[in-house]
């Protein structure tokens, strides 16, 4: 099994106004994006070429949206932002960039 291209733990995953998990996982590995519960059960997964990732308007920098299989999930990845004074983009930006890289849509 190949090393994951992107992994985030402690992610709050929601669908519409419903919270699905407060400590989930987001993983991009072998060309698939997987949303997992804190226990490792799969919430949803899809090939990265079929996933659309973006940032919601007027939302904090730790939030991202992911469209998989016709469902829109809101992701709060803020637990993994760099510490104050340390370089690096917020986790949401890293997630969006990882989806673009894995799907071949961006550099």
């Amino acid at each position: 099994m190949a090393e994951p291209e992107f992994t985030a733990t402690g992610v709050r995953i929601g669908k519409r106004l419903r919270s699905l998990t407060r400590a989930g996982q987001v993983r991009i590995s072998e060309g698939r994006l997987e949303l997992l519960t804190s226990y490792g059960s799969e919430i949803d997964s899809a090939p990265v070429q079929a996933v659309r990732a973006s940032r919601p308007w007027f939302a904090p920098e730790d939030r991202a949206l992911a469209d998989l299989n016709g469902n829109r999930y809101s992701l709060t990845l803020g637990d993994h932002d760099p510490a104050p004074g340390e370089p690096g983009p917020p986790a949401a930006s890293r997630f969006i960039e990882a989806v673009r890289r894995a799907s071949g849509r961006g550099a």
Side-chain angles (χ1 to χ4, degrees), residues 6 26 28 33 48 51-56 60-66 75 77 90-103 105-107:
F6 177 86
V26 176
I28 299 174
L33 171 70
V48 280
V51 174
R52 201 174 95 215
S54 61
R55 283 193 19 91
E61 290 189 3
D62 64 349
R63 301 253 171 93
L65 297 173
L75 310 173
L77 297 116
S93 298
R94 287 194 309 256
F95 165 70
I96 294 168
E97 198 55 41
V99 170
R100 289 186 181 143
R101 261 194 328 269
S103 66
R105 284 181 263 178

Side-chain angles (χ1 to χ4, degrees), residues 29-91:
S29 179
E30 299 178 6
R32 289 190 70 79
L33 171 70
E34 298 174 315
L35 302 178
L36 307 169
T37 67
S38 56
Y39 299 108
S41 303
E42 184 176 292
I43 295 171
D44 205 348
S45 71
V48 280
Q49 290 84 3
V51 174
R52 201 174 95 215
S54 61
R55 283 193 19 91
W57 287 19
F58 304 111
E61 290 189 3
D62 64 349
R63 301 253 171 93
L65 297 173
D67 293 327
L68 286 84
N69 302 322
N71 298 312
R72 176 170 283 184
Y73 296 95
S74 62
L75 310 173
T76 304
L77 297 116
D79 294 343
H80 304 286
D81 284 348
E86 293 200 10

